[in-house]
Amino acid sequence: MSDSATSASPVTFPPAFLWGAATSAYQIEGAVREDGRTPSIWDTFSHTPGKTAGGETGDVAVDHYHRYREDVALMAELGLSAYRFSISWSRVQPTGRGPAVQRGLDFYRRLVDELLAHDIKPAVTLYHWDLPQELEDAGGWPERDTAYRFAEYAGIVGEALGDRVEQWITLNEPWCSAFLGYASGVHAPGRTDPAASLKAAHHLNLAHGLGTKALRSVMPARNQVAISLNSGTVRPLSPGDPADRAAARKIDDLSSGIFHGPMLHGAYPRTLLEATSSLTDWSFVLDGDLELIHQPLDALGLNYYTPTLVSAADPDAKGPRADGHGASEHSPWPAAEDVAFHQSPGEQTAMGWSVDPTGLHELIMRYTREAPGLPLYITENGAAYDDKPDADGRVHDPERVAYLHGHLSEVRRAITEGADVRGYFLWSLMDNFEWAYGYDKRFGAVYVDYVTQQRTPKSSALWYARAARSGALPAPEQV
């Protein structure tokens, strides 16, 4: 029984626990042609007919580029102690090469200064999927040179902001960049080459290692460097069935081991290399790469939304792949045609993702064992629901309140069991451009009217504000 199960034991958090919210550049900034910014792969992808819902783009998004002061004031009103945001690579270093554009860096300098003026700790993510288009034209993440271009970019941003920003994340969810971008094609750049996706994964790992070294070469030693992984909580449909357990191991290798293996342990899982041998011999892993990737981390970011339920595939069964990662004839799981995905039981969000807070607890405890002594942050957790204002303009979202209460209760349970979880970043601060889903899916704690750009805190934002100020979880109905 968790400590949330009894009113005699309020769910309280350590005094220094960070209560944050998260966003990403392309999803909120807009201003895609201002101050020297050049197109990223998401500009190209979203402007390609048929790639996003309704043909919607991030050209304006929620206009954060011009409204950042209003947004930071709103964060302060909600009692946030931290804000995780990403840098637009092509705003800072157009085309992904050469010197920085100071006008682009100046936006992030102003944003950081505004956050610090409101006693909100900035946490910078260097890469949240928006590769400069010219680097994709040169081959993108399947090309080794892209990792070196990332390191150059990391050094530019670290030198500009490292005196005021202490928390740094190299990459957000490299699994999505590699496999949704280059295998299933439901994310930018929309390629469908499973062998290339495995190359992309390795070069993203290399970029993390090189970027970490670049950051540390230009920043004060006090700064923390981390990465945010969306490692799966993968469960076999029938735990007693060896074939289902083997299926779970294959998907766990592809979602988690392919990244944390070299990052935390200096090697790719043997089972991963064997399972993908029909696609590649992994000769793109050069001497010294694993040592470069295996840089000491100061913290690890974990992103969690829903567990993954798999079994050995029935060769006669036909139907859509229920993995929650968009509709495509091409799989984001290279060499995993023998694995079937199943809808996990329970309530579902507007994304069709099952609500299961125990999966977050399971993920935290896994990495507590996987990397003992490494501080953890929940760098994304949240849910999309079909939120609408009522007649008075208020937005009630009791489902999201319950979602947050359940997941934060599991974070606290993990802490009581010895996990070193130091903060939680709700996804997302506000409604925004939800990638290929356009503006149809609302993850925000703050409602955005996309016509007027008016921001309205939902019930979940008010509930979360109470939690952030008190360090304890209010009952879900207390808003």
Side-chain angles (χ1 to χ4, degrees):
M1 180 180 294
S2 72
D3 53 6
S4 62
T6 171
S7 59
S9 302
V11 184
T12 57
F13 286 76
F17 190 82
L18 290 181
W19 296 86
T23 63
S24 85
Y26 189 72
Q27 292 181 275
I28 67 166
E29 285 182 1
V32 296
R33 298 175 188 86
E34 291 189 33
D35 294 334
R37 183 186 180 279
T38 56
S40 76
I41 55 175
W42 270 99
D43 294 280
T44 302
F45 187 82
S46 65
H47 280 270
T48 301
K51 295 297 186 182
T52 66
E56 292 169 333
T57 75
D59 286 4
V60 177
V62 296
D63 198 30
H64 175 73
Y65 192 77
H66 300 112
R67 299 170 184 263
Y68 72 92
R69 289 190 176 89
E70 171 191 346
D71 291 336
V72 173
L74 182 56
M75 297 176 213
E77 289 175 19
L78 296 177
L80 298 188
S81 53
Y83 173 53
R84 176 185 170 227
F85 61 95
S86 79
I87 306 288
S88 167
W89 188 345
S90 54
R91 191 181 296 285
V92 165
Q93 193 188 29
T95 76
R97 300 176 187 274
V101 169
Q102 292 304 315
R103 289 172 296 169
L105 278 173
D106 285 346
F107 167 71
Y108 297 106
R109 291 185 177 107
R110 294 192 299 270
L111 174 59
V112 167
D113 289 345
E114 194 75 12
L115 290 164
L116 294 174
H118 286 81
D119 294 321
I120 298 171
K121 190 180 186 73
V124 164
T125 301
L126 285 172
Y127 185 74
H128 200 127
W129 309 349
D130 48 354
L131 187 70
Q133 181 60 45
E134 290 205 12
L135 292 185
E136 173 59 26
D137 293 342
W141 285 112
E143 287 297 319
R144 184 179 180 87
D145 184 63
T146 307
Y148 290 89
R149 302 286 66 75
F150 175 81
E152 181 183 44
Y153 156 68
I156 288 171
V157 181
E159 189 168 25
L161 302 179
D163 60 331
R164 285 159 291 167
V165 177
E166 296 183 2
Q167 289 193 303
W168 291 79
I169 293 165
T170 54
L171 309 173
N172 178 76
E173 298 185 352
W175 183 88
C176 295
S177 298
F179 298 115
L180 300 183
Y182 292 93
S184 70
V186 298
H187 277 194
R191 288 161 62 179
T192 55
D193 182 341
S197 73
L198 293 168
K199 284 185 179 180
H202 176 65
H203 295 143
L204 284 155
N205 285 337
L206 186 61
H208 160 74
L210 292 167
T212 297
K213 288 174 66 71
L215 286 174
R216 288 185 172 141
S217 72
V218 297
M219 297 196 311
R222 68 174 184 272
N223 290 0
Q224 290 189 335
V225 181
I227 187 167
S228 286
L229 300 178
N230 58 324
S231 295
T233 298
V234 184
R235 297 166 173 169
L237 182 65
S238 299
D241 185 338
D244 285 7
R245 291 199 304 271
R249 174 58 188 262
K250 178 175 282 191
I251 297 306
D252 185 69
D253 280 347
L254 285 167
S255 64
S256 304
I258 194 170
F259 299 109
H260 79 228
M263 290 177 188
L264 299 181
H265 309 304
Y268 286 105
R270 175 186 54 80
T271 46
L272 169 73
L273 303 182
E274 291 173 352
T276 56
S277 61
S278 63
L279 292 173
T280 179
D281 61 4
W282 290 81
S283 58
F284 47 80
V285 181
L286 304 186
D287 288 347
D289 282 6
L290 294 172
E291 290 78 9
L292 280 170
I293 297 167
H294 189 207
Q295 298 296 312
L297 288 170
D298 299 304
L300 178 63
L302 299 177
N303 295 358
Y304 172 83
Y305 292 92
T306 189
T308 301
L309 187 63
V310 301
S311 71
D314 178 349
D316 297 324
K318 302 295 180 185
R321 186 182 57 256
D323 64 355
H325 292 295
S328 171
E329 295 179 0
H330 303 272
S331 172
W333 307 101
E337 296 83 3
D338 55 347
V339 176
F341 293 82
H342 304 270
Q343 178 70 53
S344 295
E347 175 194 345
Q348 296 178 21
T349 70
M351 296 290 289
W353 297 346
S354 297
V355 178
D356 188 343
T358 66
L360 178 55
H361 175 269
E362 188 176 325
L363 188 67
I364 293 168
M365 300 314 295
R366 181 217 184 131
Y367 281 98
T368 298
R369 296 187 299 270
E370 193 89 39
L374 187 64
L376 304 176
Y377 291 86
I378 308 307
T379 40
E380 286 185 27
N381 178 237
Y385 290 104
D386 188 18
D387 306 312
K388 292 182 174 64
D390 65 15
D392 297 320
R394 296 173 298 188
V395 183
H396 296 289
D397 57 342
E399 302 93 346
R400 185 175 291 103
V401 173
Y403 182 101
L404 296 177
H405 183 274
H407 287 76
L408 279 161
S409 295
E410 291 296 325
V411 172
R412 177 56 179 151
R413 179 160 74 98
I415 292 172
T416 65
E417 294 173 3
D420 185 10
V421 185
R422 299 190 181 181
Y424 176 94
F425 291 82
L426 181 157
W427 186 272
S428 176
L429 173 66
M430 52 191 165
D431 296 332
N432 53 46
F433 177 76
E434 187 49 40
W435 308 113
Y437 294 96
Y439 295 95
D440 183 55
K441 306 299 183 188
R442 292 181 178 268
F443 275 87
V446 174
Y447 183 89
V448 178
D449 181 320
Y450 295 123
V451 175
T452 66
Q453 295 291 352
Q454 181 177 343
R455 278 83 158 129
T456 303
K458 305 174 188 178
S459 299
S460 58
L462 304 179
W463 180 90
Y464 190 67
R466 290 188 59 183
R469 291 193 180 98
S470 67
L473 300 186
E477 63 273 10
Q478 293 179 353
V479 178

